[in-house]
Amino acid sequence: MNPTIQAALVRERLYLRSPRTVAAARQFTRDTLRAWDAHDRLDDVLLCVSELATNALRYGVPPGRGYLLRLFGFEDATVRAEVHDSGPGLSRITGRPHGRGLTLVQALADEWGVLARTPGKVVWCEFRNAPDCRNQPGGTRARGDRIRRAAPGRSP
């Protein structure tokens, strides 16, 4: 990401531990990116959000808990998706036959990574060159969007 500090639009939603929430996370992402007029990489972002949400449910969300999906639209037209869970361990590419989700994320996203937190972790991915997500001619800001400042390489 650009080494300068940028303002970001932020939307987030908390999901319960249920397989049905993956489709809801995809729809929330679709609605958010459309509201931000960020259509260019929509399919890539949707697939990666599906994979990160599925991984959180499968490996990172203990019973009785949920996961958080947080989306950012930066001034430089970068879109970032983060999935926060409270499970142990860090996500990684394993090469197992059923473990291709992060391989897809790695192939589609411009950058991705895992950040440890207490409890759990944040798995994130970024997509550059989405149309400008800011309040410019032809673009809109969705009601409820928050603006934050982000330091280089850090979540706002």
Side-chain angles (χ1 to χ4, degrees):
M1 200 155 102
N2 188 333
T4 61
I5 294 177
Q6 300 183 48
L9 298 175
V10 181
R11 292 184 89 185
E12 60 187 32
R13 185 157 293 165
L14 184 62
Y15 295 96
L16 299 175
R17 188 177 191 257
S18 166
R20 288 181 241 145
T21 63
V22 175
R26 257 192 326 269
Q27 187 61 49
F28 172 72
T29 301
R30 179 182 288 112
D31 294 345
T32 298
L33 296 186
R34 284 182 177 162
W36 290 348
D37 197 27
H39 303 263
D40 278 4
R41 307 273 313 264
L42 181 64
D43 291 337
D44 292 346
V45 177
L46 291 175
L47 180 56
C48 289
V49 165
S50 288
E51 293 300 333
L52 296 183
T54 298
N55 279 358
L57 288 172
R58 194 175 264 185
Y59 307 112
V61 179
R65 296 210 177 156
Y67 66 93
L68 176 73
L69 170 60
R70 184 174 290 151
L71 302 170
F72 299 93
F74 291 100
E75 290 176 326
D76 69 354
T78 296
V79 170
R80 178 181 176 116
E82 296 180 350
V83 173
H84 300 238
D85 69 54
S86 56
L90 295 178
S91 298
R92 65 188 188 287
I93 296 175
T94 63
R96 294 178 293 178
H98 61 281
R100 292 196 164 91
L102 290 178
T103 302
L104 287 171
V105 171
Q106 182 180 37
L108 294 173
D110 293 306
E111 292 186 54
W112 78 280
V114 182
L115 303 170
R117 66 176 210 149
T118 303
K121 64 194 151 300
V122 178
V123 185
W124 59 271
C125 54
E126 289 186 351
F127 303 85
R128 290 187 210 99
N129 300 321
D132 192 20
C133 298
R134 307 302 302 167
N135 226 3
Q136 304 228 351
T140 60
R141 264 193 31 209
R143 203 167 104 218
D145 288 344
R146 296 176 303 169
I147 297 177
R148 293 186 181 176
R149 298 247 173 234
R154 303 177 119 180
S155 296

